[in-house]
Amino acid sequence: MKPDNIIPINSNKPIRADAIRNRRLLLDTAQALFDEHGIQDVTMSAIAKEAGVGKGTLYRHFTDKADLCHALLDEDMRKFQQETLTHLRDCAEPYDGLYWFLEESAQYVVRHNDLLIEVANQGGVDMLSHPAHVWWRQTIVGLLARLTPDADTSYLADMLYIMLDVQTIRFQRRVQNYSVERIINGLHMLLAKITT
């Protein structure tokens, strides 16, 4: 068969309303089950059963549990990025903007720690180089460059960025028993020291 006889697949095909509803149902069901039982104890079969859909429907939307967790994170990450853009646009002082951003980033990691760990472990993802988190680093670099233009802002950003890593915060919370307030205060203290 010649290539010009091949009919291209229409990738702009609209998504059916029932598929959108099923995806939303699966995400909501998974989140409820994860909240109730913990991510490790919830199977894909349990999600499909609780949602009242077949496994085929579940796997058409999500290849595995890490993919489903990633979808849950993606929704909140998009909201966080939009909030950040709005906040930084309205915030004249780079120090205040970075202070706010570090706190909100830490809260995001604390709130989604189990989901982030699942994605990293099951999906083989290096969270520090994940595009969403690289955006965090770039935001820190940009704000630091405005605050301390003569400093090695890239290295200073790495110091702050590594403190927002899911494994770092998990260690601080579970091994060191640090409160969220202590973690955020520590980030603010670090920021003050590297910008003075």
Side-chain angles (χ1 to χ4, degrees), residues 173-186:
R173 296 279 289 139
R174 297 199 177 178
V175 176
Q176 298 298 97
N177 293 315
Y178 292 171
S179 66
V180 175
E181 181 182 18
R182 185 174 183 186
I183 291 169
I184 290 170
N185 288 341

Side-chain angles (χ1 to χ4, degrees), residues 19 66 83 158-159 188:
E83 287 169 10
D158 289 340
M159 288 175 51
H188 292 160

Side-chain angles (χ1 to χ4, degrees), residues 147-181:
L147 275 170
T148 56
D150 297 329
D152 184 351
T153 54
S154 184
Y155 188 83
L156 294 177
D158 289 340
M159 288 175 51
L160 292 168
Y161 182 59
I162 198 71
M163 298 312 296
L164 296 170
D165 178 56
V166 62
Q167 297 290 1
T168 301
I169 289 182
R170 190 176 191 87
F171 169 78
Q172 290 176 328
R173 296 279 289 139
R174 297 199 177 178
V175 176
Q176 298 298 97
N177 293 315
Y178 292 171
S179 66
V180 175
E181 181 182 18

Side-chain angles (χ1 to χ4, degrees), residues 62-162:
F62 308 104
T63 57
D64 55 23
K65 192 162 46 168
D67 187 34
L68 197 154
C69 289
H70 192 271
L72 287 168
L73 288 167
D74 186 57
E75 289 185 337
D76 208 30
M77 177 56 74
R78 289 176 193 273
K79 284 189 258 177
F80 177 42
Q81 288 176 338
Q82 188 56 52
E83 287 169 10
T84 299
L85 292 172
T86 300
H87 185 84
L88 295 181
R89 190 178 317 119
D90 297 339
C91 183
E93 294 297 322
Y95 185 90
D96 295 339
L98 187 48
Y99 188 97
W100 175 88
F101 183 73
L102 292 173
E103 182 169 337
E104 293 301 313
S105 296
Q107 292 284 8
Y108 180 92
V109 175
V110 168
R111 188 170 55 252
H112 298 301
N113 198 266
D114 290 338
L115 286 170
L116 289 163
I117 291 290
E118 183 69 22
V119 167
N121 290 345
Q122 300 302 317
V125 175
D126 174 9
M127 296 309 285
L128 287 175
S129 61
H130 187 278
H133 292 271
V134 169
W135 168 77
W136 289 13
R137 184 183 181 280
Q138 291 170 334
T139 301
I140 295 168
V141 168
L143 291 166
L144 278 173
R146 291 176 56 201
L147 275 170
T148 56
D150 297 329
D152 184 351
T153 54
S154 184
Y155 188 83
L156 294 177
D158 289 340
M159 288 175 51
L160 292 168
Y161 182 59
I162 198 71

